[in-house]
Amino acid sequence: MQRRKIAIIGGGQIGSILTLMATQKELADVVLVDLPDQVNPVKGKTLDIDHLRPHIGVDINLSATSDYQNITGADVVIVTAGIPRKPNMSREDLLDINLEIIKEVAKKIKQHSPDAFIIIATNPVDTMSYAFQRLSGFPRNQVVGLSGALDTGRFQYFIAEETGLSVKDVSCMVMGGHGPTMMPLIRTASIAGIPITNLLSPQQLANIVKRTKEAGTEIVNLLGNGSAFFSSAASIMEMIEAYLGDKKRVISSSALCRGEYGVDGYYLGVPCVIGADGMERVIEVELTEDEKMALNTTAEAVSASISQTGL
Ligand code: APR
């Protein structure tokens, strides 16, 4: 049986942790693509990971290149190419620089991997996913952005921490743009089916919502020279496994909405079914009046960002 192939555009922090995680799971061969002057450091990382393979008994092929010919036949392409934010920067501050990068990589991915499932991690992710889809012309099911998977993981973690219960039993969802207007939905949060409102006070829940919204910035401020990468890579891995395994997982992701939630023609974080056809469908749930207002706010923020691309 032919092994699966994952191509990662951008062999920086997220790209290299993702490669390590794919190796540990013996999930697929991995090819990392980076700028010509960055290929050697990326090769150094793949070689280092090759040297740990004997310790875990894993046989896969890892490679680093600047030549897009090597992504031919990839099942999944992950786009992490771009700059991450630093303290005192918002994700929106990355828009101009990262848009130019997305323009370049969209063309090359379309040329060499027209059938792959594409996951965009580059920020501001809703806008970059929109730009990528628009420029490549890929159908909507083939292009999603990493947003809700990461934000939901943070929401789950803070709930587990506050209740002192296992992360495994927390179920919840974050919708909306991947930025300060995101919507951690308390109404959807439960622990082993027990509504979270039975276990935590309104004040505790308000603090968790605030911390979830600011979680990325908290990490940026602590790191000092980049943004989160371990949890980003783990979230992407969840999406890859849902696709490769045709799992029909419900993962909140940035998806091209066509009327769902009143959003038409642009990307927003919504609950998506991820399976063998990629982003198979958006699940629509009835929102409360307060949630509808929050959704309008976040949709307006994303739409304003997208209009800055001129696309
Ligand atoms: N083509 C290929 N690779 C590129 C290009 C390009 N045109 N431009 C930059 N890169 C590479 C860089 O050389 C670097 O190796 O992308 C990689 C980015 O890695 P990091 O700087 O370590 O950033 P990372 O933390 O991985 O985040 C990547 O994801 O979450 C978002 O905001 C984050 O936009 C950022 C992206």
Side-chain angles (χ1 to χ4, degrees), residues 1-8 15-32 45-64 75 237 240 244:
M1 194 179 75
Q2 201 184 346
R3 270 200 302 259
R4 306 280 204 165
K5 180 169 168 180
I6 300 172
I8 305 174
S16 48
I17 296 297
L18 198 49
T19 306
L20 176 62
M21 288 177 173
T23 303
Q24 287 171 319
K25 288 174 178 276
E26 205 167 17
L27 188 63
D29 292 338
V30 181
V31 54
L32 286 142
K45 290 176 193 172
T46 56
L47 200 54
D48 194 12
I49 296 175
D50 270 334
H51 296 174
L52 73 75
R53 291 200 292 104
H55 296 286
I56 55 175
V58 164
D59 296 306
I60 56 167
N61 294 320
L62 305 176
S63 58
D75 298 280
M237 186 52 68
I240 296 174
L244 292 180

Side-chain angles (χ1 to χ4, degrees), residues 181 183 290-303:
T181 59
M183 301 164 56
D290 283 353
E291 289 164 353
K292 280 182 192 160
M293 273 166 59
L295 193 89
N296 280 344
T297 304
T298 193
E300 274 170 21
V302 171
S303 155

Side-chain angles (χ1 to χ4, degrees), residues 117-118 129 133-134 136-145 254-260 263-268 270-272 274 277-284:
F117 180 49
I118 317 290
S129 303
Q133 192 277 334
R134 188 100 186 156
S136 65
F138 275 117
R140 82 159 180 169
N141 64 307
Q142 246 178 287
V143 184
V144 289
S254 189
L256 179 57
C257 293
R258 295 227 171 92
E260 293 94 348
V263 173
D264 200 10
Y266 59 94
Y267 274 71
L268 191 70
V270 286
C272 297
I274 312 262
D277 288 329
M279 198 289 287
E280 297 189 346
R281 67 190 167 98
V282 174
I283 296 185
E284 273 196 280

Side-chain angles (χ1 to χ4, degrees), residues 26 46-47 58-59 63 79 91 94 96 121 156 165-166 180 191 210 241 259 291-292 299 301 309:
E26 205 167 17
T46 56
L47 200 54
V58 164
D59 296 306
S63 58
V79 179
R91 294 180 183 93
L94 309 172
D96 290 342
Q156 286 173 300
L165 299 172
S166 170
I191 296 192
K210 183 169 183 296
E241 288 189 292
E291 289 164 353
K292 280 182 192 160
T309 64

